[in-house]
């Protein structure tokens, strides 16, 4: 896909994701059966904006509500994620955090299980800003082979 834009769950405020190009592969039969496993994904030249507002509501809960009685909790895997020229911004208005990271080329895998994310990365992450309150820390720092 080209020129991808995904709106966040706070309509009209920010885009959750915007990319020049996004490619991915998955098994359609697995998806049909509710197994959300992305075998490979590549995101090129873009940005992601993750945010909690002052009331603690996030902007990235874009999937259907799975807390109803009798429903299974959402789980997914992205095995081979590649980010090229991507910037990620994280803002928590309650805690006063504003962080920004970028990467020229980063490999990762992401899982969502029991409401928690597991993220493993390999590559270069450039710390643009770690902001807490009015202060910035580690501004302009490179980290290699980072595990989150």
């Amino acid at each position: 896909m080209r020129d991808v834009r995904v709106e966040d769950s706070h309509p009209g405020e920010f885009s959750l994701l915007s990319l020049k190009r996004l490619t991915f592969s998955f098994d359609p039969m697995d998806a049909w059966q509710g197994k959300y496993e992305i075998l490979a994904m590549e995101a090129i030249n873009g940005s992601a904006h993750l945010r909690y507002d002052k009331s603690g509501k996030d902007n990235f809960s874009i999937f259907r509500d799975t807390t109803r009685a009798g429903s299974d909790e959402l789980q997914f895997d992205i095995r081979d994620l590649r980010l090229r020229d991507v910037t990620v911004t994280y803002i928590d208005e309650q805690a006063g955090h504003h962080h920004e990271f970028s990467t020229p080329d980063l490999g990762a895998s992401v899982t969502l299980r029991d409401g928690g994310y597991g993220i493993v990365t390999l590559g270069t992450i450039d710390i643009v800003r770690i902001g807490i309150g009015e202060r910035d820390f580690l501004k302009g720092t490179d980290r290699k082979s980072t595990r989150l």
Side-chain angles (χ1 to χ4, degrees):
M1 295 183 278
R2 296 193 185 280
D3 297 320
V4 175
R5 182 178 164 100
V6 177
E7 290 295 321
D8 68 11
S9 57
H10 300 174
E13 292 186 37
F14 298 98
S15 64
L16 175 61
L17 180 69
S18 60
L19 297 164
K20 278 293 190 191
R21 192 170 84 199
L22 177 66
T23 61
F24 57 94
S25 65
F26 62 94
D27 182 332
M29 290 307 294
D30 281 349
W32 179 262
Q33 296 170 0
K35 182 180 177 187
Y36 302 108
E37 183 175 56
I38 304 294
L39 302 174
M41 178 184 285
E42 184 175 42
I44 300 172
N45 194 5
S47 60
H49 304 279
L50 309 174
R51 191 177 121 207
Y52 288 95
D53 65 15
K54 290 182 181 182
S55 69
K57 184 175 187 245
D58 68 68
N59 73 332
F60 49 85
S61 293
I62 58 174
F63 297 105
R64 64 180 166 77
D65 181 11
T66 60
T67 59
R68 295 183 310 267
S71 69
D72 294 329
E73 187 169 319
L74 176 67
Q75 298 183 11
F76 71 80
D77 294 308
I78 303 175
R79 288 189 191 170
D80 182 14
L81 173 62
R82 191 81 171 175
L83 304 176
R84 298 183 196 276
D85 297 320
V86 174
T87 300
V88 176
T89 303
Y90 172 85
I91 297 172
D92 185 332
E93 292 179 357
Q94 274 188 326
H97 295 178
H98 182 154
H99 312 315
E100 187 173 342
F101 310 93
S102 67
T103 182
D105 187 13
L106 182 75
S109 66
V110 180
T111 60
L112 172 62
R113 294 281 183 277
D114 301 321
Y117 291 92
I119 303 171
V120 177
T121 64
L122 181 61
T124 301
I125 297 174
D126 300 324
I127 299 173
V128 177
R129 174 184 185 195
I130 299 287
I132 301 173
E134 298 296 319
R135 300 193 61 195
D136 287 334
F137 301 93
L138 302 174
K139 196 169 186 176
T141 305
D142 292 345
R143 300 284 178 202
K144 296 189 187 312
S145 300
T146 303
R147 183 179 176 104
L148 301 174

